Amino acid sequence: MVTIYVDNMPYQVREGQNLLVACLSLGFDIPHFCWHPALHSVGSCRLCAVKIFRDENDTRGRIFMSCMTPATEGVRISINDPEARHFRASVIEWLMLNHPHDCPVCDEGGECHLQDMTVMTGHVYRRTRKKKRTYSNQNLGPFINHEMNRCIQCYRCVRFYRDYAGGRDLDVFGVHSRVYFGRLEEGALENEFSGNLVEICPTGVFTDKTFKKRYTRKWDLQTAPSICVHCGLGCNTIAGERYGTLRRILNRYNGQVNGYFLCDRGRFGYDFLNSDRRVREPLAKTGQGSGSTALEPISADEALSRLVDIVQNSSRVIGIGSPRTPLEANFALRDLVGEENFSSGMAQAEQDLVSLIVHILREGPAPSASLRELESADAALILGEDLTNTAPMMALYLRQSVRRKPMAVVNELRIPGWLDAAVRGAVQGNKGPLFIAAPIAAGLDDVATETYHAAPDDIARLGFAVAHELDTQAPAVVDLPADRHALAVRIAAALREAERPVVVSGTSSMSPAVIQAAANVAWALHSRGRQVTLSFVAPECNSLGVALMEGRSLEDAIEMAERGQVDTVVTLENDLFARAPRDLVDRLRASCRNFVVIDHCLTGTAEVADLVLPAAAFAESQGTLVNNEGRAQRSYRVFPAPDPIGESRRWLSKAVMARARGRTEEWESFDDLVTRMRQALPVFQPVSNLAPSADARIVGRKIARQPHRCSGRTAMLANVSMREPPPPRDADSPLSFSMEGFQGISPPPLNPRYWAPGWNSAQSLNKFQEEIAGPLRGGDPGQRLIEPRDNGGREYFNAIPVAFSPSDDEWLILPSYHIFGSEELSALSPAIAERIPSAYVAIGEEDADLLGMSEGMLARVEIAGAAESLPARIVADLPRGVALLPKGLERLKGLAIPVRARIGKAVQAEKS
Amino acid sequence: MCEAARSILVVVGVLAGAIAIAAGLIWVERRLLALWQDRLGPNRVGPFGLLQVMADMIKIMTKEDWVPPFADRAVFVLAPAIIVVTALLSFAIIPFAPGIGVVDLNVGLLFFLAMSSLGVYSVAFAGWASGNKYSLLGGLRAAAQMLSYEVFMGLSLMGVVILAGSFNLRTIVEAQEDMWFCIPQFLGLVIFVIAGVAETHRLPFDLPEAETELVAGYHTEYSGMKFGMFFVGEYIGVTLISALVVTLFFGGWNGPVLPPIVWFLLKTSLFICLFILLRATFPRPRFDQLLGFGWKVMLPVSLANLLVTGAVTLARG
Amino acid sequence: MEEAPDIQTELENKFGTGLLSPQGTRDDISTFWVPKDRILETLRYLKRDIPGPFAMLYDLTAIDERLRNHRDGQPESDFSVVYHLLSFDRNQDVRLKVALKGDRPRLPSSVSVWPAANWYEREVYDMFGVTFDGHPNLRRILMPPTWKGHPLRKEHPARATEMGIFQLTEEKAVAEEAAARFRPEEWGMKPAVGDVDYMFLNMGPQHPSTHGVLRIMLALDGEQIVDAALDIGYHHRGAEKMAERQSWHTFIPYTDRIDYLGGVMNNLPYVLAVEKLAGIRAPDKAKVIRVMMAEFFRIASHLVFYGTFGQDLGALSPVFFTFNDRERVFDVVEAVTGGRMHPMWFRIGGVAQDLPNGWERLVKEFVDYFPPRLAEYDKLLMQSPILKARAKGVGSYTREDAVEWGVTGPGLRACGFEWDFRKKRPYSGYEQFQFDIPVGQNGDCYDRAVVRVEEMRQSLRIIEQCLKNMPEGPYMADHPLATPPLKKRTMHDIETLITHFLGVSWGPVIPPGEASYGIEATKGNNGYYLISDGNTGAYRARIRTPSFAHLQMIPYIGRGLLVPDLVALLGSIDYVLADVDR
Amino acid sequence: MGKSMVSLIRAAWTMLTHTFRRRVTVQYPDERIRYFPRAKGRIILSRDPDGGERCVACYLCAAACPVDCISLQATEDEHGRRYPEFFRINFSRCILCGFCEEACPTYAIQLTPDFEMCEYHRWALVYEKEDLLISGPGKYPGYNFYKVAGLAISGKGKGEAENEEPPVDVRSLMP
């Protein structure tokens, strides 16, 4: 710690920071543009000028850029010095020369960093009548709106897009005063993190296009802390609502999870909530018997009486839960049907993989890595994952991790780590060790030290071999070709050198061996005394959560139903057709008398149900999700779903009421349900510590979901009723659906938005952090449910698979993943839908030659007797004998992959 | 027979005339007040707003006739009737013109004083029977005020009686053919006017109903036609006092050219206007000031007036 | 303010160092934190023993500090009680604060030092739940006795919508009736003395001469007032709470409605206090416009007083004349501001618009029109022997009484005390105007009226000077926190648009601090004590109104008067219930 | 006493002189009252000089409204021109403070001197955009926000606003 003097008052700050960060951490307001906590300092905007004095006798001082000056012992600065203020105001005046007169029509207005900084510097009146420079805009695809006129040339966009996120297609063009930020040619931004430009850009050049047609100012948005449901990482988000519809998603900083960024799926996938696939009222088959008649809307009362009737008259009910639904809803279902009748809703293969991951993380000793830890890893091995498409944010952080090792140079050169341009100059193109073993080339390959493209079994074998190289106790792989062996040795060497290596794997190869191999590598590294962490990609937002509930697999449940002991099946927010082959689901449907589906979207499963109950989706319901790290996180309602849509657990509580009178009070509140869950399943003990309980208050007040300047209260419903109704009550959380309530800095799990006086943009975050880029004030939210048991008595996995051998007539079908399309909910959002590729079959070059096929040619894929014609996509690195089918795309749902298939040229006639 | 019919005709005529004038005053007063307050007054109903009188009557008659549960019902209902009846009875002695008048009572003036004394009961009863503290205070004030002013009102008239030598109003009018009594009895006139205002409790002597102090005094709880009777009673009173002033001090029907009845009505109207002008102009003295003024100033002055008049009359033989 | 002895030194000489901890504020008022157990002796010393004593308890209020971020070294406190004292001898103020901890804090009552503390302490109790030990009658004052919670505490919601649609059920109506029933003992009144039973008379809440919803409970012996108690709060709208939920800018309309006869006069202390917090200096033109409009409203308010005072004393007609004159004032006001009674026209840093073309003609017309009217009212009212009889010597109090009870404005000047904040502590450029301070002699109803009548003439003088000397220049300060900036520039210049945009939406962010500003308003000293927590709205806004203090004095003056005298007294005080209850 | 009498009589005489003064009553509604251009009455939405809706749905009026009586939803046409999808003012809540007009950056929302807004039902005081929109520019002729703003809309491309240069040629290397 060093002492610095700000306007003659001494303060203790951490050494080695720059003055801007130090002052912001202390709570001072220093205007800035080009500096961003994740992108560090380049000193180009000249706005963060402060006066620095030599000593206490120096009255003149000199102006320095605070972002470029380290906080050293005894440095004396003045933020309020008139000359410094004047300097900053001049910078704004100069930036305003060409800024268009756009605020009223700009989506950034009211949460614009440029606006905030302009007001903060106090420049109000223009002194020039010079003409303004203008630019033409580009169409940057369905996510991002481009308005170049507003640009202030801070370079944040390209520094994020290119330097941080590894994008290629956004660049800076032009010279002199005509500098242009855009693409070479119009077209959608390719990078998976383009949405962050919305928050990175300090003004309105890049804005959220999905928000544009139903735009609402920040002060009118009702917001709540939410968790992204579109992959297993559990990124923290802020979801915003107005007039009963969900309007947008912003990043919610969590120092341990997503930091400052979100992927595009998480940011733009929310719109499924407003899609026409939403179930907005209860539906039922009105005729007797099933299947024959269509679903028709019924009233909520009737739906309830039907539900009660079904539950009361059923001797045995099977409940099929869902890995995309919070713990509480799953538990409510489990409580309704009983432990033995509860299915996790995952297919056997998936459940085995997730259970294996849980097992490995529990056994230890290598702990699970948070995303923040991934960023600080100094070596990484990825086994069998295409991270950019399965867990995009993980890819973003691993991309940063390759800079760890070269940073040593920077330290040697005594360049501060935050001096971004200097650091990049010193590091040059050097990258730390990152090894990727996956079936095909993935988004991270450009920063990888080495890549290895092979079938899952071969990937697993490489992993086992690396483990053996690290620790001879680990089982050895026999018959490993020399080149693979050499690779294993190189990988092992690189990992061994690292201090904080990380091993990444996951479920996407659908191979337990790959996961086991990853565990072996991590354990071997641990035995060598490395601070190794493991990171597994989980398929869905609550996969680990339902796995911890230890329900039956889907196949198991179907089998049970078929044995004829079951008359009712209740499916909770789960599209079974996406998980199991069609015939299996049809058999389930046929074997029970009543098939009830509770879901928010009309899935294939819902379409065949007798009774569909409309469920609240993520922003309309409260619940706990367990991410891939084993971190349980609470997501809150942003707005109450309009009647008769209800939270799943509410429908279930009504069913429970019917089934067992008197038990309902245990269920009445969310907190009671959590308590009951903790009693029934001790693994969920920490869940009640995730966030303050519903009766928590700050000085007697709930926390307001609406900003204190929310407008239109007395007019928004005036066309319906002149009597202003009281805001809806929220008995389940300490948040209120109102502008009344606490508006300051809340406990981190409950912060509904980032706003501070004078800081209306997302940059207000600095007021919420203990220190810049550090944890939130009060600690980052979330609690890990799985900690490794450090008993030391663990054994290496030794089921090493045999090497994959391609056959000439059958191909191993593996899933390929797409950030847009592989996840079912986000795929319903119109903006995402525009970016979903059409279905295809991917084959390697060799196989293509063998089959005589070329790119785009129709291929006939025959799996278990059923055939499908798909255009072929030729992929260079795909190993022989392996073909890929995109996961989740409409025509390919429910395929039980990995599976073997015959592939041939499609006969033209079959094309239809 | 013919005489009887004539008296009935006169009685009915006087009754109807008094009530009509009183009702008309509703409009006259509002228009006059408006005139002096730079306003227009009621001008929307009928020509010059004349039908406002009708509108007000209809309103007052159709209003809920409410007797508060805490009131003494019988007395409460009786009270407003008394004031109208006593005021109307007093009209019996007014000689409107030679030959026109209800009765030619030789104790006419005493009859008037008797009737006006009875009027106190109305207000006192109303104040007491309402069961409301404001009404009670109003009633008390009214009783005290009317009793006090009754005394020198009577005394102030004695000068006239001495001059005319009669209590008969007709005689008194006839006695003024040469000179109106307002000249020799100027003091008496002033005192009588003041007492008259007090008797009719109109501003500035409206203490029994002083709205800024007692809300509406004795008639706070009255509504509908019962209130209407107080209302009309007040205007009848105003008309009566004006008529008496004319009769006693301004030569009654005497006057050149025009027929006597017209003279009488003209003079009376003038004094009605004076009443209204007083209302428009003056603040209201305090209750104790009013009584003090009555006993300490008015009484001695009226006694002195009586003494001087008596002395002068004696001296002149 | 003039050079005054350093209070801190004086207090430390008396009590030793360590008793006080000074606090910096944005205004020039010395502010000290005093320990709870020493507050009474400190107050006593300041009031009685110190040379040039702080004779007036100008204000007493509290702050719920529990959510305040910027306390900058102030002692820890959950609730702070604030005493604002005024010394006329020194022309200086001092503010004392007592830090209280806990949810239901207590501290000793200062009623024994100042009888005027009675209502203030009741208000603090009502609004914050702070108990004053030794208070003679600590009960709710503004809220109904059935109210739950203490409105100015931070946990109390500000919007009625939070409480659901209001329905007056039978039971609720009965309960409210029962709670409002008058029991003399509760108000410290004796039902009888010796063999005299008093009559208790409820004057109000609906009564022609209470000028609004005010309830006076009188113990009468005949028509003589033996004792009186006032029940206020019927006009309470929680303006202070509203200030906490509006932005600094959007609270302005609410200030108009405090003294609803004062119009923009109400805006003035508020914007001056905000400007003090923000360090804004309004340009000369804005200052003069403000003075001119404020004086127009002083005339308007005094005209209402004049007419209704006459009417209270039974004079029917003058009220029509004065209201007509007031309409003429409003015509000028409307031409300039667009509003009549509530123009809501002053802004942080200036005024809302520039003066319209042709304003001079309108103002000139009024200046010419008005003096003969005043002369006529003299004939009708002030010279009327009946009015003199009613008002002279009635309801009089001495200068000492006035100071003791916190009387300011014409009521103070009627006691012969030449004290006008426009002269003594000039604000908004009043020091540049020539006008006299009319004073009375006897402090009775008549003198209060005389002072106001003369003040109208003085106001007219000031307006004439404004008319002749209106400066050129902008109507809004060139300061980033001046809200909103010049409109013409907003429509074409982006930087002005940005400042405008944030100022009218989120609101200007006023630097943390405290400031109070009291002005010579229509009815006395109207002061705003504003606390900024560095946010877009007030953390706490205390509105010190003259009428509150003046009304509290009524039982004290009223004893022994007759009911009609009370009416005269009420009329002569010239209070507005919105100004009392806020 | 005498003086008192004199002053009483003088007062009465003064009163009498009013008989011949001009009446101050305005016989509304037969006679129209005097309008001042700045008078704050019924709120309207105006159009810019070429007939387009001036309101760009920036929400500033709603935010500035102390009583929260303005509610709207922004949207845009296919050419990027912003306008309110709905615009609602609940006049039963409006205090006619004029803060919305002052806040409006396009002169769209204006207060007019029309004060005749009495209704028998509160709901009749809820005005939608159709009720608010007038066909002219109201008090501020000549101003067209889109001619000042940099946003391109139908009929006005980039660089065609007031004080703007044509869009730069990014590919030019000229200094």
Side-chain angles (χ1 to χ4, degrees), chain A residues 1-23:
Chain A
M1 298 298 266
V2 293
T3 308
I4 63 169
Y5 295 86
V6 182
D7 288 308
N8 289 323
M9 294 289 286
Y11 297 93
Q12 293 281 311
V13 299
R14 216 155 41 76
E15 201 170 357
Q17 292 172 306
N18 59 55
L19 283 171
L20 176 62
V21 169
C23 289

Side-chain angles (χ1 to χ4, degrees), chain A residues 756-899:
Chain A
W759 296 82
N760 306 307
S761 75
Q763 323 286 326
S764 60
L765 183 52
N766 67 56
K767 303 281 177 197
F768 287 75
Q769 293 165 326
E770 272 170 20
E771 60 177 304
I772 301 303
L776 288 167
R777 284 210 231 163
D780 287 321
Q783 288 261 339
R784 279 165 52 131
L785 301 182
I786 307 169
E787 292 295 347
R789 256 177 243 155
D790 203 14
N791 56 7
R794 151 209 41 74
E795 304 231 330
Y796 283 112
F797 291 106
N798 52 14
I800 300 171
V802 294
F804 173 71
S805 59
S807 80
D808 282 350
D809 55 348
E810 272 198 328
W811 273 259
L812 174 66
I813 303 288
L814 289 175
S816 68
Y817 294 88
H818 290 276
I819 182 170
F820 308 121
S822 291
E823 195 272 329
E824 58 177 329
L825 296 179
S826 60
L828 294 172
S829 303
I832 299 270
E834 279 187 46
R835 298 285 306 271
I836 296 177
S838 51
Y840 62 86
V841 57
I843 47 176
E845 279 174 341
E846 260 183 81
D847 289 336
D849 287 347
L850 195 77
L851 291 167
M853 291 188 43
S854 55
E855 180 83 21
M857 194 180 269
L858 270 188
R860 178 190 152 89
V861 183
E862 192 185 321
I863 303 168
E868 183 85 46
S869 287
L870 293 165
R873 189 183 271 190
I874 316 298
V875 179
D877 295 327
L878 198 60
R880 258 238 63 213
V882 176
L884 304 178
L885 289 176
K887 157 116 176 138
L889 299 195
E890 196 53 48
R891 288 165 67 190
L892 304 164
K893 270 187 180 165
L895 277 179
I897 32 186
V899 72

